[in-house]
Each structure stands twice: as structure tokens, then as C-alpha cells.
Amino acid sequence: MLILLIILGVLAVACFSLLFFKITAGIVYEYNRGRDQLLIKLKILGLPLAFRIPLHTESKKPKKEKKAKEDKGDKEKKPMTPGRFIALAKSVCRSFKETKQEMAEIIRELRRMVTCPELSLSVQYGARNPALTGILNGAVWTAGTLLLKVADAAIGVTKKELIVKPDFTKEFMCLHFCGMLQFKLVDLLKVVIKIRKLVNLMKSKIEI
């Protein structure tokens, strides 16, 4: 009996200690020609875990309700294009500036709890014709830079990388975003709540 209590006590201490170990969380978002996906990667004590989060779910609803929802969503569901990406980046930057005072406390707490060792954004695109693709190149670079600056201002980023690859042969849009966050397991819930508040505050101001 005494041995069992000792074992249980050791396990309890070990589990409690885990709460104060730093974990690494990776967020990978991909948009490829109208389809997007989100992947969450975790590494706890060297053990890798990955969760794929569906961004679009098909609902089994009556035809009339589904048809009404589709009609309503026609205007909302627009494919990502270089122009929309540029407009989105400008809107995100503007919304961050407008809500910065409201988010000051959230940002302070996030910077205290979270470190971001790496953040990368890759943009591949092609416009209707080679001339327009070339003209958009500088604007796409600027838009990507703005998004990375907002992330850096919000949580602080150690290493930032931006890759822009124009394609002069076809019209398409691909995005690949990868961010790494490090924080203590005990702060996981707080971090999620703070980031959600931060995103919701900014979303309320974003217009594209």
C-alpha cells in the first residue's frame, strides 16, 4: 500500500511539473486555389502532435434552408486574389492601429506569456496577364510585410520570413503561413483566450 501511494505521489508531482514546461505550438495555414486548411502542431517534451482543423463543414439541412444560406453566402464567399490579399493586409494593419489602445493590456499579457521564435509567409500568385502580375509584385510584397509587422507588434517575433513568387503564365493564388509559439502548458488556456480576444477585436474593424 505504501509503495502504491509513493508511486501515485510521484506521478502527481510529475504531472504537476509538466504544467510549467514550455511547449511549442505551430500554426500552419494554407490557401490553394480556393481551398484552405489549418493545421495545429504541438510538441510537448519532444513528443509531436498534430491536429487538422476543418475550416468548411458541409451541413445536412433542408434544401430550402440550404438554398437560402447559399444565396446569402454568394456575396461572402469570394476567392482570394492578389487584389483581395493586398486589401486584406491593409485592412488588418488599419484595424490593428485603430484598436491598439483597446488591445494594449492583451498585448502586454501575450508578450509576457508567449514567445514567437519564427513566423513565415509565402505568397504565390498570377494575374490575368504578365504585365499586371509584374505591377502587383511590389504591392504584394508590401502587403505581406504589413501582415508580419502586425504580428511582430502584437506578440514579438524573433525571426520573420516573407517569400513572394509571381507566376507570369497563369492566374491563381496560393498562401502558406506558418507561425511557431512557445509558452508554458499552464498558460495554454489564457493564451488561447487572449489570442481569440485579439483576433475578434481586429475582425470587428476589418473590411474587404
Side-chain angles (χ1 to χ4, degrees), residues 66-85:
K66 190 175 181 182
K67 179 75 167 60
K69 190 175 179 181
E70 285 175 356
D71 292 340
K72 185 180 178 182
D74 283 344
K75 295 181 180 178
E76 297 174 359
K77 293 182 180 179
K78 297 178 182 177
M80 182 63 70
T81 62
R84 289 196 75 229
F85 174 71

Side-chain angles (χ1 to χ4, degrees), residues 158-204:
T158 305
K159 180 185 176 184
K160 299 185 290 291
E161 182 181 31
L162 174 62
I163 299 171
V164 176
K165 293 182 178 179
D167 190 315
F168 297 92
T169 62
K170 54 191 172 184
E171 184 178 5
F172 74 105
M173 185 75 184
C174 292
L175 298 172
H176 184 275
F177 171 84
C178 181
M180 303 298 292
L181 301 176
Q182 289 183 335
F183 49 87
K184 291 178 182 176
L185 194 57
V186 70
D187 291 326
L188 176 61
L189 184 59
K190 293 179 185 176
V191 168
V192 171
I193 291 172
K194 295 298 179 185
I195 290 179
R196 188 174 178 181
K197 285 182 179 178
L198 184 71
V199 170
N200 287 339
L201 271 171
M202 290 179 64
K203 279 175 68 177
S204 65

Side-chain angles (χ1 to χ4, degrees), residues 23-66:
I23 67 172
T24 300
I27 302 169
V28 180
Y29 170 79
E30 290 182 354
Y31 176 90
N32 191 343
R33 296 172 173 85
R35 294 185 177 183
D36 51 0
Q37 62 178 357
L38 183 66
L39 185 67
I40 304 296
K41 296 180 178 180
L42 295 175
K43 186 177 284 187
I44 305 174
L45 295 179
L47 179 66
L49 301 169
F51 307 93
R52 194 172 298 278
I53 299 176
L55 298 179
H56 300 288
T57 55
E58 294 294 330
S59 56
K60 296 181 181 178
K61 294 185 177 181
K63 288 184 178 180
K64 288 184 179 178
E65 187 178 345
K66 190 175 181 182

